[in-house]
Amino acid sequence: MLALTRTLAVARKELLQLRRDRLTLAMMAALPIAQLLLFGYAIDTDVRHVPAVVWDQDRSAASRDFAQGLQATGFYDFKGQVRDGAEIERAFRSGRAQVALVIPPRFEAALAQGRPEPVQLIVDGSDPQTVGSATSTAQGLAAARSPRAPQLRVEPVNWYNPDLKTSTNIVPGLVGVILTMTMVMLTAMAIARERERGTLEQLIVSPLRRSELVVGKIAPYVAIGFLQMTLILLLGRVIFGVPFRGSIALLYCAALIFIAANLALGLLFSTLARTQQQAMQMSFFFLLPNILLSGFMFPFEAMPPAAQALSQALPLTHFLRIVRGVVLKAAELPDVAGELGWLGALLLVLSSAATLRFRKKLD
Amino acid sequence: MTAENEVIVSTEHLSRRFGDLVAVRDLSLEIRRGEIFGVLGPNGAGKSTTIRMLCGILDPTSGRGTVVGFDLARGAEQIKARIGYMTQRFSLYEDLTVIENLRFYAGLYGLAAARREDRVRFSLERSGLASRRGQIAGTLSGGWKQRVALACATIHQPPLLFLDEPTAGVDPVSRREFWERIHALAEAGTTVLVTTHYMDEAERCHRLAFIFRGGLLDVGTPTEIVARRGLRVAELEVDDAVPAAARLRQLPEVDEVAHYGHTLRLATVGGVDPEALARAQLGAQVRSSRAARATVEDAFVSMVRSEGA
Ligand SMILES: Nc1ncnc2c1ncn2[C@@H]1O[C@H](COP(=O)(O)OP(=O)(O)O)[C@@H](O)[C@H]1O
Ligand SMILES: [Mg+2]
């Protein structure tokens, strides 16, 4: 079905053109680094001064002391007292607070008796970056006080986001986002450029098959995608200490399918656009739902069902789960098989659509 | 298969519309193997549209055609493997070098690696491009780009070659060399369909088709076409060229009067002797006269005039 000579001719030509296109090459390298630093450091500064409220049910010296200890970490800014759960909810909804400290009645008495008495830390999980840090700070404080009060325990309760996410989520997530951004854009330009420069007519007048064109155009960019992913993961490790716990081979296999799916989508855009500029606009337009719906910024679980359904159609949604699973939780093939299946199906649909859309005619 | 006079392109009532515009109307043609077939017509006449239909990249609105033995409607992909096409703007990859362009087109037509290098080397030498092999195509001048484009379009040795205004914007020396290449290809058995609006190039074709506003006005050898118009031409030296030309233009037997300084070029129809006519009309104003050969240009202008009127 594929003639190797023709497919290779296209792939080689793409590589040659890419090699001469210094600007695009520089962008491919600069984009991941810039994004990583932006997102990475944004997280680091965000996790200070989280607005918090206190529901002190004990109103004792010990409870006030504990709350002041938390404030002293610089992590929380206490905005005042609340008197019930409904008030916490209002504070969360209005954004007045993201964290609520609930100190139970008889806190002081329990400490004095050496009974374990959990303190509750309610966290607004819809901003996942705060969740991990919020709880770990409080737990740290509790541990620091342990010599005096070994029974003190902080029991984090995470609202809106049961799948406790930490800031390290961002770096693996960025792998997916950056690949989506660059891969779709690269191929979206690929056919539009030929059309603009008049070389498309030469391509469609040749015996080149549609599938050969699609494969030949996609193949060289897969390599670039792998390089970008490696760069992000390495920098994430060096700069932000993001661990890599799972199987590298599994991640790269998944990435291959993911990258190819994005490239096929870019080609599809390319067949729809008349100019490179239109192709570029389509790519940007596509990026938005990816960032919003894929679970990169907002937890999947917090989205309405319609948005959840829509997000299943985005390759990024599935790849994010795989990359987070493999990198952070050492997920194995059986754990991610379902998501891999989704990616494979999307690749099939997108590449068929691109092939069918590309007609070897001028109109 | 290689018999002389074998028909390699034939169309019947081929038409193509773009919305309300009829770009090609009811075109019926036959082109034989080894011919250099010229398609002449002003801008917008439908030359490129015709070529695109014959190449299988534009579907006709109606009519049918056969190219290299395959039907246009069903065999477009088979046709594509057997033709070469040089588009109106030489569509080279301007960011690739000469040799990279050649290699790409060789690969595109499925030439395997060993044969590809042979063909590329041969093409470079044949086109005088060997010294420019490493130059980025975008930095070549018009004449060189045209050579590269032709080399690319013929890298797979197609039996049928379509050239769409291949000499537009190319200097006269390059044009001459280009036509030598075309004749060499034709002698080697390649059929060439070439569009142009240079009349000197039209004279170099074996046969010509005149198209105007999508319609075919005439087909034949240059001599036949000129003869069919029944034109006789004379060149006259006159004293007062402008009023003399105006006066001659009034006459029904005059097809065309052009003047260059004191020289008038007078073409008449219906076998009327232009020299006698001029002397009868202008008398002693005519200082000298001599008969001239009617050219394809005369025929073309005459045809377009009578159509356009
Ligand atoms: N893709 C198209 N869409 C609409 N009109 C077109 C298209 N291609 C050509 N035309 C029109 O068809 C006519 C013939 O064009 P063309 O074949 O390019 O002429 P030529 O090559 O003889 O200059 C022109 O009026 C042109 O504007
Ligand atoms: Mg044209």
Side-chain angles (χ1 to χ4, degrees):
Chain A
M1 212 186 69
L2 282 185
L4 201 59
T5 323
R6 291 193 292 253
T7 313
L8 276 180
V10 175
R12 191 199 318 244
K13 185 214 84 179
E14 290 296 317
L15 273 179
L16 283 170
Q17 288 187 302
L18 194 64
R19 210 181 69 194
R20 303 238 159 85
D21 190 355
R22 293 279 151 77
L23 190 67
T24 305
L25 272 188
M27 247 177 56
M28 294 302 106
L31 205 66
I33 299 175
Q35 297 253 348
L36 189 71
L37 296 180
L38 263 170
F39 278 96
Y41 282 117
I43 298 155
D44 255 17
T45 53
D46 269 350
V47 293
R48 310 249 129 228
H49 304 290
V50 178
V53 289
V54 185
W55 183 8
D56 188 349
Q57 297 168 359
D58 195 38
R59 298 185 174 278
S60 61
S63 66
R64 273 190 296 278
D65 180 48
F66 185 74
Q68 266 160 19
L70 274 185
Q71 169 121 15
T73 61
F75 188 85
Y76 303 106
D77 274 346
F78 282 106
K79 302 289 184 195
Q81 293 276 342
V82 293
R83 278 176 308 275
D84 53 30
E87 225 179 314
I88 295 179
E89 232 179 297
R90 276 198 300 280
F92 278 13
R93 287 215 195 106
S94 66
R96 195 164 70 93
Q98 283 182 291
V99 172
L101 180 68
V102 184
I103 304 177
R106 292 182 303 282
F107 174 74
E108 193 175 45
L111 281 188
Q113 290 168 12
R115 248 192 308 117
E117 188 60 44
V119 169
Q120 218 180 23
L121 195 71
I122 301 175
V123 179
D124 175 355
S126 62
D127 187 355
Q129 282 103 57
T130 57
V131 178
S133 325
T135 51
S136 59
T137 313
Q139 278 166 330
L141 183 71
R145 302 211 159 185
S146 286
R148 263 200 291 149
Q151 302 82 0
L152 181 60
R153 234 174 61 224
V154 172
E155 198 175 69
V157 178
N158 178 7
W159 283 5
Y160 307 139
N161 184 7
D163 180 27
L164 190 71
K165 292 180 180 182
T166 65
S167 58
T168 41
N169 249 355
I170 285 289
V171 170
L174 263 187
V175 172
V177 170
I178 289 174
L179 284 179
T180 300
M181 193 185 300
T182 53
M183 293 296 109
V184 172
M185 206 144 64
L186 272 179
T187 43
M189 313 277 279
I191 288 185
R193 191 191 321 126
E194 305 252 6
R195 194 193 309 278
E196 253 177 42
R197 296 190 185 166
T199 46
L200 190 67
E201 198 168 344
Q202 292 286 4
L203 282 186
I204 63 181
V205 86
S206 80
L208 180 71
R209 291 205 188 94
R210 302 187 291 183
S211 49
E212 292 160 357
L213 179 86
V214 170
V215 175
K217 283 256 180 200
I218 284 180
Y221 299 115
V222 171
I224 293 183
F226 276 152
L227 286 178
Q228 283 190 327
M229 179 165 88
T230 310
L231 188 66
I232 301 165
L233 289 174
L234 278 179
L235 285 179
R237 174 164 213 152
V238 171
I239 304 179
F240 300 107
V242 177
F244 193 113
R245 300 206 175 93
S247 149
I248 294 188
L250 177 59
L251 181 64
Y252 277 74
C253 286
L256 179 68
I257 308 178
F258 173 66
I259 290 171
N262 278 316
L263 292 170
L265 182 71
L267 272 189
L268 182 61
F269 285 165
S270 211
T271 60
L272 297 169
R274 304 302 298 180
T275 62
Q276 290 190 76
Q277 197 183 346
Q278 283 178 2
M280 187 79 119
Q281 284 165 349
M282 282 190 207
S283 315
F284 275 117
F285 188 75
F286 173 70
L287 199 60
L288 201 65
N290 266 288
I291 289 186
L292 296 181
L293 299 183
S294 64
F296 172 68
M297 296 273 272
F298 308 111
F300 182 81
E301 296 77 5
M303 294 191 297
Q308 287 188 350
L310 190 63
S311 72
Q312 297 290 348
L314 302 174
L316 183 58
T317 304
H318 305 284
F319 183 67
L320 277 186
R321 292 178 193 156
I322 297 174
V323 70
R324 283 175 173 159
V326 173
V327 171
L328 301 176
K329 302 183 221 158
E332 291 179 8
L333 183 58
D335 303 322
V336 297
E339 307 295 343
L340 275 177
W342 267 101
L343 275 186
L346 287 172
L347 169 61
L348 200 68
V349 169
L350 291 171
S351 54
S352 312
T355 309
L356 291 178
R357 255 297 304 181
F358 181 74
R359 293 187 65 240
K360 287 193 68 192
K361 297 280 179 184
L362 278 178
D363 57 345
Chain B
M1 274 298 281
T2 53
E4 289 287 308
N5 291 346
E6 181 204 345
V7 172
I8 191 163
V9 175
S10 101
T11 68
E12 286 168 37
H13 310 292
L14 204 61
S15 298
R16 170 72 206 205
R17 315 174 66 101
F18 294 107
D20 284 340
L21 179 93
V22 186
V24 174
R25 187 194 318 266
D26 208 20
L27 185 73
S28 300
L29 273 183
E30 282 196 347
I31 302 175
R32 286 185 279 277
R33 189 177 289 274
E35 260 187 329
I36 299 177
F37 190 88
V39 176
L40 243 70
N43 284 330
K47 304 182 295 293
S48 298
T49 306
T50 303
I51 289 194
R52 287 172 176 150
M53 285 194 285
L54 296 179
C55 288
I57 57 173
L58 194 65
D59 287 329
T61 318
S62 63
R64 46 185 307 279
T66 323
V67 176
V68 288
F70 295 93
D71 186 81
L72 275 186
R74 291 185 308 267
E77 291 307 306
Q78 283 95 327
I79 293 172
K80 288 175 185 177
R82 292 164 179 80
I83 58 169
Y85 172 32
M86 191 168 143
T87 53
Q88 194 163 354
R89 297 184 293 147
F90 319 130
S91 32
L92 297 167
Y93 289 93
E94 303 235 317
D95 46 356
L96 299 190
T97 64
V98 170
I99 194 166
E100 284 163 357
N101 266 291
L102 282 167
R103 283 199 183 117
F104 172 63
Y105 283 107
L108 210 53
Y109 283 89
L111 268 59
R115 203 165 104 71
R116 182 176 66 218
E117 283 312 299
D118 278 351
R119 275 300 299 169
V120 167
R121 204 171 317 114
F122 178 82
S123 276
L124 282 172
E125 269 156 34
R126 171 57 68 85
S127 319
L129 286 165
S131 61
R132 306 259 180 165
R133 60 202 299 151
Q135 189 170 342
I136 299 285
T139 66
L140 293 168
S141 67
W144 286 99
K145 274 186 191 163
Q146 177 211 44
R147 284 193 198 195
V148 180
L150 181 66
C152 288
T154 52
I155 191 88
H156 55 299
Q157 297 170 291
L160 174 60
L161 185 59
F162 292 98
L163 307 170
D164 196 0
E165 289 186 32
T167 54
V170 165
D171 65 88
V173 178
S174 300
R175 271 175 58 193
R176 183 174 301 255
E177 285 168 0
F178 185 81
W179 273 91
E180 281 162 15
R181 283 279 298 129
I182 300 300
H183 276 274
L185 282 167
E187 265 150 43
T190 308
T191 311
V192 181
L193 186 153
V194 55
T195 70
T196 181
H197 37 223
Y198 290 114
M199 295 302 158
D200 59 325
E201 293 183 352
E203 309 257 6
R204 294 175 191 233
C205 296
H206 298 140
R207 283 202 309 143
L208 289 175
F210 274 18
I211 60 173
F212 184 64
R213 293 184 187 160
L216 184 66
L217 296 188
D218 201 2
V219 193
T221 64
T223 327
E224 281 167 8
I225 285 180
V226 173
R228 260 203 286 279
R229 292 306 295 175
L231 295 177
R232 293 182 63 181
V233 179
E235 284 177 356
L236 318 165
E237 293 286 327
V238 293
D239 285 333
D240 222 351
V242 177
R247 171 136 184 227
L248 290 170
R249 277 199 192 102
Q250 310 291 328
L251 305 171
E253 52 272 63
V254 169
D255 186 74
E256 163 75 1
V257 188
H259 68 91
Y260 315 92
H262 287 293
T263 307
L264 288 188
R265 188 176 162 88
L266 172 65
T268 55
V269 290
V272 173
D273 178 355
E275 289 177 86
L277 181 73
R279 286 186 194 283
Q281 290 291 324
L282 304 172
Q285 267 195 344
V286 181
R287 285 202 256 143
S288 71
S289 73
R290 58 184 188 84
R293 190 176 66 88
T295 62
V296 169
E297 181 165 358
D298 295 321
F300 185 58
V301 170
S302 156
M303 248 183 274
V304 168
R305 280 268 162 78
S306 53
E307 277 295 313

